[in-house]
Every structure is written in structure tokens, then in C-alpha cells.
Amino acid sequence: MAYSEIVQNLRAAFDSGKTRNVGFREKQLQNLMRMYEENHTEMARALASDLRKHKQEAYVMEIDYLMNDLRSIILNLRDWVQPKKPEKTIVNMMDGVFIYNDPYGVALVIGAWNYPLQLTLAPVAAAIAAGNCVVIKPSEVSPACSKFIANTVPKYLDQDCYRVVEGGVKETTELLQQKFDYIFFTGANRIGKIIHKACSENLTPCTLELGGKSPCYIDSSADIAIATRRILWGKFINAGQTCIAPDYILCSKDIQEQFLKEAKSILKEWYGENPKHSPDLCRIINQQHFKRLSGLLKGANVAIGGDVDSADNYIAPTILTNVKSEDPVMQDEIFGPILPILVVENANDAIKFINARDKPLALYIFSTNEAVRNLIIANTSAGGMCINDVLGHFAVESLPFGGVGPSGMGAYHGKYGFDTFTHKKSCLIKDFNAVGEKLASSRYPPYSDGKLSFLSTVLKKRRSISLKCVPYLFIFGLGVASTLIVNCLRDDNK
Ligand code: NAD
């Protein structure tokens, strides 16, 4: 079926009002949950096929994550969809003031390959919850997961409202020529620009979940043994192909030595004498990325690791020292199991280094010194931060997850995902009450200084008076109303 026809059909389904029904959305979300329950083994198998992902990583980082996220959406949906009643001021005291949660319409979700199930299906769940119809485009770079989504989703989700389209650059380019009401993209910064450009053609709102070089600063107050363990886990999980993996370390020479000493023994404990034989290490997704990553090692000062095997897309967990900011490894997001360490004197130097570069997706600090932490938090910008650990902030569903500037725009997770796919439709409801009309009549021509002064006073005061003052305002309103009525009667009698 042509893409234009797919989008047209989804629009017709949306216009029928089907997805506005909350019961329908709940049913679809429950079906998605059933899909995970009945197919988790196949999901783990697809992840192993694409990335040689170990079962533990597959469940913790993707399958269980998706199920927990969905459970929370289903539990909270009835609450989230309720129109919100924001605080009112004196001006609208007598009116209804509401924010309705309106679905956008037909959304396009474009997934990435590194966590190919989680990064495609979590936004889809949020889009369904918000009442949208969805075109789902998994990444072609992880073919087993793409196939799984394409074959399995239609068995569980309503085909009039949710469609999977497989394909790569050609297909996505063609899809982007269609008019969507929302586009949610996860992927590289370079492609994010293409998506943003396509969105601008139709003024389509979008979320861009991009990447970047996420720095990790360690100071001498940190527990270096624990810090090293946490950093290495966050770096080498999924073979470093994680958007919020610590990209590089900033620390003093002394900390670098302690870090290397710890790292040597931890890596041996985790992956054995030859990490290549460990079942716990993922592989690089394809030859193109393997070549890019092994190229970064040429001429680099390898302190730990450095082994590569092209036939197996294998790169050992590798740590580089004597790294300069001009080195190739410091130019773009690494997105692989290579961890450079750059020496800085102190937190102020680290801040200067970070601020001289693109705003990162994540920023990590290892320090027990609150002054140092606050200094960095207050003087840097990043999509999100995690102190004394890495990746952890991603899993806190009450925190919005997203980038800033070059690392992305918009956010999701938990309620933020629902909000991302929801237009907040403002609505003011007035009645035809005669007293209210009289009070508001100062806005009508003929204008006069008296009316202007009255309106200015009311508008000036409206911010400083909250609804907590309602009883007093009511008495005040009655006073004003009766004065106005008396004046009117006087005018009428003249
Ligand atoms: P990618 O940008 O290469 O691909 C993402 C999607 O875009 C795929 O579905 C692909 O088919 C499509 N695409 C690729 N080229 C295109 C083109 N020219 N026109 C239209 N569509 C195109 O990204 P990736 O390689 O899958 O993922 C790696 C990048 O994504 C890294 O930079 C990483 O940091 C980032 N990322 C970010 C997050 C996040 O949540 N912020 C999560 C994962 C990955």
C-alpha cells in the first residue's frame, strides 16, 4: 500500500473518533502488554540476533522496561486524560477554565537500532495512550527487531489505527513527505536535522531524541572503586552503543591512575582474561560502525583493551589516555566501547571544557562534595544529569527524558510521554450572567478614561490575587457589582 494511502486510512480512523475513546486506548495498551507477555522470548532472541545482546540486558534494558512503562501508563491513563482545571484569577473567577488533553491525530514514530524495541515501542505506547493513530517505523539497521515489530504488532493492535512501515533512508524519506500531526524521532543529530526540516514543511510539531558526547567528571571526594564500577557498566553495556553512555571522562591525573587500576581488575572480573569470549559483551551493530570505531583507535594511546576483530564486529572494552580535545575520538559521539580520559585540574576546568562544546544529552558527576556538584549543576546545560551514577536517571519515570539544543528537543517517559503526544487545548467557558456582563462591559466602546482605569486596575491586580482569596473576592465582587448596579439605575433614572 502506498504511504499516502496508509496515512489517509489512519486519518480516516482518527477522524472517526475511535482513538478518542479512552476505553479503546486502554484495550490497545492491554493488547500491547499481552504482546510482550506472549513474545518476550522472541524479543530477547531478536535482540541477540541484532546485537548479540545478553538475555539479562535484553530484559532489564528493553523488555522489562517496556512492560513496567506500559503498566504505569495503563494505571494512570484515566487520571491523565482528565481535563485540568488551572488556577484562576479575579478576571475569570466566574468562568470555567480548562485544559483539555487533545490527541494530535496521526503520529509518526521513527525508532533507532541501539535499543531497537524499547526506543520504538515506548514512544508508541505514549502515542496510543494520548489517543493518536500511529505509523511505526523501526530501524532497518536492527533487522531482526524490525521484522519482529512488523510481524507481531499487527496481531495485537488495531490495524485501522496503528501501522508498521519497515525500511531505511529511501522509505523514511518518502514517509516524511506525508503530512503527519506529530513526529517522534530517535536517532543521530545529523538525521535529526533532516527530520526537523521535513517537519517545518508542514509545521508539524516534533520530538527529537538525539545523541551527543556525554561527559563524566570525577573528583577526589568520590569513592573511586564504586565510581569506576558504575562508569564501566554504563559505558560497556550494549558495547557502548547507548545514547546516554558516558562518552568521556574528565578528571585529574591522580584520579586517572586510580581509575585505571580499578578498571583493570573490574574488567577482568566481569569479562575474563579475553573479553572476546565473554557472553556478556554485545557486538558492534555492523561493519560500517565497526570501521568507524576501529578507526578511532588508530594512533590513540590505549591504556586498557584495544583488541578488535572485524569478522566478529568485536571491539574490546577500551580505555584511552593522553587524549587531546583535537583527537578524532573527541570530535563526535563515540557510540562504542571506547572510553577516553582527559585530564583537567578541577571542576572549573571541567565546566569550561563542557561549555565549549555542544550541550550533551547527559552529564555525570562523581563527587561527594556538594559545593562541587552545585557548581557544575548551576553552570552547565545538559538534557539530564545523574550524580554518582550513570544511566540511572533514564529509568526514573517521574523525570522527563530528552536532550537540549543539539542533543534534542522535547522529552518523554511516564506522564511526559503522554503530554508529548497531547495538545494542551485551552478552553474558557463563560455564561450569560447579567452581573458578569455588566462587570465586563468596560471593555466595549465607546472607550473612556474611566473604563481604562478600571480595566487597568483589574488586570494589574489579577496576578497578585489567587483563588485562596475567593471569599474576600466574592465580597469585593458583590460590592463592585452593587455599586455598578446602583450607578446604572441612577443613570437610567436620569
Ligand atoms: P540514525 O539517525 O542513523 O537512524 C535513526 C532512524 O532514522 C532510523 O529509523 C533510520 O531509518 C532513519 N534514517 C536514517 N537516515 C535517514 C535519512 N537520511 N532520512 C530519513 N531517515 C533516516 O540513528 P541510529 O544510528 O539508529 O542511532 C544512533 C544515534 O541515535 C546516536 O547518535 C544516539 O546517541 C542517538 N540515540 C538517541 C537516543 C535518545 O533517546 N536521545 C536513543 C538512542 C539513540
Side-chain angles (χ1 to χ4, degrees):
M1 199 188 287
Y3 295 155
S4 56
E5 205 179 328
I6 292 177
V7 176
Q8 220 169 40
N9 290 349
L10 292 185
R11 195 167 299 289
F14 181 75
D15 290 343
S16 76
K18 208 166 167 180
T19 60
R20 286 186 180 270
N21 181 306
V22 182
F24 174 83
R25 298 183 208 175
E26 277 175 336
K27 182 82 191 127
Q28 298 305 311
L29 294 168
Q30 281 152 5
N31 288 349
L32 197 56
M33 182 64 92
R34 201 158 50 77
M35 177 177 119
Y36 298 150
E37 284 163 357
E38 291 173 2
N39 296 279
H40 58 89
T41 316
E42 208 182 318
M43 291 164 84
R45 211 176 293 134
L47 290 165
S49 161
D50 284 334
L51 288 141
R52 220 196 73 154
K53 213 176 266 213
H54 189 278
K55 192 174 148 191
Q56 180 167 330
E57 280 190 27
Y59 278 87
V60 173
M61 306 299 280
E62 308 225 26
I63 303 164
D64 287 346
Y65 175 89
L66 281 167
M67 290 172 91
N68 288 332
D69 179 56
L70 197 48
R71 242 174 241 124
S72 157
I73 293 176
I74 293 170
L75 195 70
N76 291 298
L77 186 60
R78 291 268 164 186
D79 179 36
W80 293 348
V81 295
Q82 291 307 316
K84 294 286 167 285
K85 292 183 186 171
E87 205 171 301
K88 292 193 279 189
T89 65
I90 186 171
V91 177
N92 300 107
M93 201 171 61
M94 320 282 274
D95 307 327
V97 174
F98 295 97
I99 301 170
Y100 287 98
N101 291 301
D102 227 16
Y104 277 104
V106 181
L108 169 63
V109 172
I110 303 175
W113 55 260
N114 56 331
Y115 291 85
L117 298 177
Q118 190 228 108
L119 295 174
T120 310
L121 295 170
V124 167
I128 295 173
N132 299 278
C133 289
V134 193
V135 173
I136 307 160
K137 213 300 283 175
S139 174
E140 76 286 8
V141 181
S142 42
C145 288
S146 178
K147 196 50 66 209
F148 169 80
I149 292 173
N151 289 343
T152 320
V153 164
K155 294 180 194 156
Y156 292 86
L157 296 186
D158 185 302
Q159 274 297 275
D160 292 341
C161 301
Y162 316 106
R163 295 301 293 264
V164 181
V165 169
E166 284 192 277
V169 177
K170 180 178 162 289
E171 290 77 8
T172 317
T173 306
E174 216 177 308
L175 258 182
L176 288 171
Q177 281 157 14
Q178 309 306 314
K179 189 177 183 315
F180 289 96
D181 300 297
Y182 203 92
I183 295 182
F184 189 105
F185 169 80
T186 304
N189 175 297
R190 186 177 60 83
I191 313 298
K193 290 181 187 170
I194 296 174
I195 306 294
H196 199 244
K197 212 169 183 178
C199 288
S200 73
E201 276 303 308
N202 292 310
L203 293 178
T204 303
C206 65
T207 295
L208 301 177
E209 292 286 343
L210 311 177
K213 291 182 86 63
S214 298
C216 179
Y217 175 68
I218 315 172
D219 83 3
S220 56
S221 70
D223 181 320
I224 303 300
I226 296 177
T228 309
R229 207 164 265 274
R230 291 178 181 174
I231 294 166
L232 296 184
W233 172 77
K235 179 69 186 189
F236 298 127
I237 194 167
N238 212 33
Q241 301 164 112
T242 302
C243 58
I244 46 173
D247 190 89
Y248 60 92
I249 289 178
L250 296 170
C251 64
S252 67
K253 191 99 187 145
D254 180 41
I255 302 287
Q256 172 181 291
E257 296 321 308
Q258 293 178 53
F259 182 88
L260 288 174
K261 189 165 162 269
E262 295 290 342
K264 259 183 206 134
S265 81
I266 292 167
L267 292 175
K268 199 163 155 193
E269 173 196 328
W270 286 354
Y271 305 122
E273 284 296 342
N274 186 353
K276 197 178 163 202
H277 303 310
S278 164
D280 301 337
L281 269 176
C282 287
R283 292 300 184 254
I284 306 306
I285 186 76
N286 56 26
Q287 271 289 300
Q288 185 200 331
H289 282 281
F290 172 83
K291 281 187 188 138
R292 176 183 65 79
L293 287 163
S294 42
L296 296 178
L297 296 178
K298 289 200 181 97
N301 190 60
V302 174
I304 297 178
D307 286 350
V308 301
D309 180 354
S310 169
D312 194 20
N313 285 343
Y314 167 76
I315 297 185
T318 298
I319 301 179
L320 306 179
T321 51
N322 293 339
V323 180
K324 314 264 172 328
S325 58
E326 316 78 69
D327 290 354
V329 77
M330 289 307 294
Q331 302 318 305
D332 288 312
E333 180 182 3
I334 297 169
F335 220 55
I338 302 171
L339 181 60
I341 304 179
L342 288 96
V343 170
V344 290
E345 289 301 318
N346 51 39
N348 280 313
D349 280 357
I351 291 171
K352 263 190 226 141
F353 191 92
I354 293 162
N355 288 345
R357 284 158 183 80
D358 280 350
K359 292 175 182 178
L361 183 57
L363 172 51
Y364 302 115
I365 307 169
F366 284 79
S367 171
T368 55
N369 184 331
E370 211 172 331
V372 166
R373 283 159 26 174
N374 289 341
L375 183 76
I376 301 177
I377 292 170
N379 292 290
T380 55
S381 177
M385 293 187 71
C386 184
I387 316 291
N388 293 332
D389 207 345
V390 294
L391 316 194
H393 61 301
F394 182 92
V396 182
E397 69 174 39
S398 53
L399 290 177
F401 178 77
V404 54
S407 56
M409 61 175 74
Y412 71 130
H413 285 190
K415 170 82 160 47
Y416 299 98
F418 174 84
D419 287 340
T420 282
F421 284 99
T422 302
H423 168 60
K424 302 288 170 190
K425 188 165 73 182
S426 301
C427 186
L428 170 68
I429 303 177
K430 301 196 77 106
D431 60 22
F432 293 106
N433 182 291
V435 176
E437 177 61 8
K438 196 72 202 172
L439 273 170
S441 64
S442 303
R443 66 182 163 161
Y444 300 134
Y447 300 144
S448 69
D449 287 349
K451 285 179 174 178
L452 176 60
S453 150
F454 174 73
L455 288 173
S456 302
T457 310
V458 171
L459 291 175
K460 216 183 287 165
K461 289 264 178 270
R462 79 194 162 132
R463 290 243 157 265
S464 56
I465 302 170
S466 83
L467 272 191
K468 287 172 202 120
C469 316
V470 160
Y472 305 104
L473 290 175
F474 186 68
I475 296 165
F476 170 75
L478 275 183
V480 174
S482 52
T483 312
L484 281 171
I485 291 166
V486 169
N487 283 343
C488 285
L489 291 174
R490 255 196 224 134
D491 288 349
D492 288 348
N493 288 338
K494 269 186 195 161

